[in-house]
């Protein structure tokens, strides 16, 4: 009889551990740092701009970016979001070391990245970024799905200082949260 009891306890423990490890059931996801996109986006063979680093359906910027640091936190239950990034600047070009013409960014939660039927990108409202690449947001993202597997947090271009086309680069990702930690 004692063996059956131990087996039941072990099975319940295994099921609880599996449920707690699932990002879909997590209350909060915290990304400890932010890094900029550093992959090349020009094809040297054809000398044309190509996008080599999408995150699911979100295309990458055409410039390399770096970030000194930052973090993001999203409650998958309530939609509460806080993120900040420090020193998010362009590497190279005439804008090197600055945010260039980008004057606003948005935070994006990508749920189920790469899944053609369930992937969803959910954006914060736009937030200003200064010329040194510093931005901060606190608010909510409505509509987080019940299943948000493998959540990814991106910082994307919202607007640029170009009177002819201020939204021309809107939506390209320029930074991502790293070291995700699930908090129940």
């Amino acid at each position: 009889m004692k063996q059956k009891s131990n087996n039941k306890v072990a099975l319940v423990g295994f099921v609880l551990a599996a449920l707690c490890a699932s990002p879909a059931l997590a209350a909060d996801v915290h990304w400890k740092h932010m890094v900029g996109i550093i992959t090349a986006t020009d094809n040297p063979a054809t000398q044309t701009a190509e996008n080599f680093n999408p995150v699911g359906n979100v295309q990458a910027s055409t410039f390399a970016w770096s970030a000194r640091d930052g973090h993001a936190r999203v409650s998958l239950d309530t939609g509460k979001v806080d993120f900040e990034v420090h020193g998010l600047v362009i590497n190279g070009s005439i804008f090197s070391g600055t945010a260039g013409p980008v004057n606003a960014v948005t935070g994006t939660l990508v749920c189920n990245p790469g899944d053609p039927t369930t992937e969803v990108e959910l954006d914060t409202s736009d937030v200003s970024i200064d010329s040194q690449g510093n931005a901060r947001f606190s608010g909510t993202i409505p509509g987080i799905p019940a299943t948000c597997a493998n959540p990814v947090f991106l910082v994307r271009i919202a607007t640029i200082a170009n009177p002819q086309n201020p939204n021309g680069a809107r939506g390209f990702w320029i930074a991502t949260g790293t070291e995700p930690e699930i908090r129940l």
Side-chain angles (χ1 to χ4, degrees):
M1 187 71 161
K2 185 162 179 129
Q3 180 63 30
K4 277 187 176 180
S5 178
N6 286 342
N7 288 344
K8 286 181 183 177
V9 169
L11 179 60
V12 168
F14 175 77
V15 170
L16 285 174
L19 288 174
C20 290
S22 170
L25 300 173
D28 292 312
V29 182
H30 178 225
W31 291 267
K32 295 179 185 179
H33 301 282
M34 289 282 183
V35 297
I37 181 170
I38 57 172
T39 54
T41 54
D42 290 335
N43 184 339
T46 62
Q47 297 190 4
T48 59
E50 294 182 16
N51 198 315
F52 294 115
N53 197 12
V55 174
N57 295 320
V58 182
Q59 297 302 311
S61 169
T62 57
F63 290 124
W65 290 74
S66 63
R68 190 170 56 255
D69 204 3
H71 68 272
R73 183 169 310 173
V74 176
S75 170
L76 299 178
D77 295 330
T78 66
K80 181 163 176 34
V81 178
D82 294 296
F83 81 86
E84 63 183 272
V85 64
H86 306 284
L88 180 58
V89 296
I90 296 169
N91 296 325
S93 85
I94 62 172
F95 305 116
S96 192
T98 72
V102 175
N103 56 22
V105 295
T106 186
T108 299
L109 174 68
V110 182
C111 292
N112 314 310
D115 185 321
T117 58
T118 62
E119 178 177 321
V120 62
E121 299 89 27
L122 303 160
D123 293 331
T124 67
S125 52
D126 297 352
V127 60
S128 296
I129 186 169
D130 66 24
S131 63
Q132 290 81 39
N134 302 309
R136 174 179 282 175
F137 175 86
S138 183
T140 59
I141 295 177
I144 296 175
T147 300
C148 184
N150 303 317
V152 175
F153 192 85
L154 303 173
V155 176
R156 296 167 63 180
I157 296 171
T159 60
I160 59 173
N162 178 347
Q164 287 78 35
N165 193 5
N167 295 317
R170 184 174 186 86
F172 290 120
W173 77 271
I174 56 177
T176 186
T178 65
E179 298 181 56
E181 180 179 285
I182 308 298
R183 297 181 179 174
L184 296 176

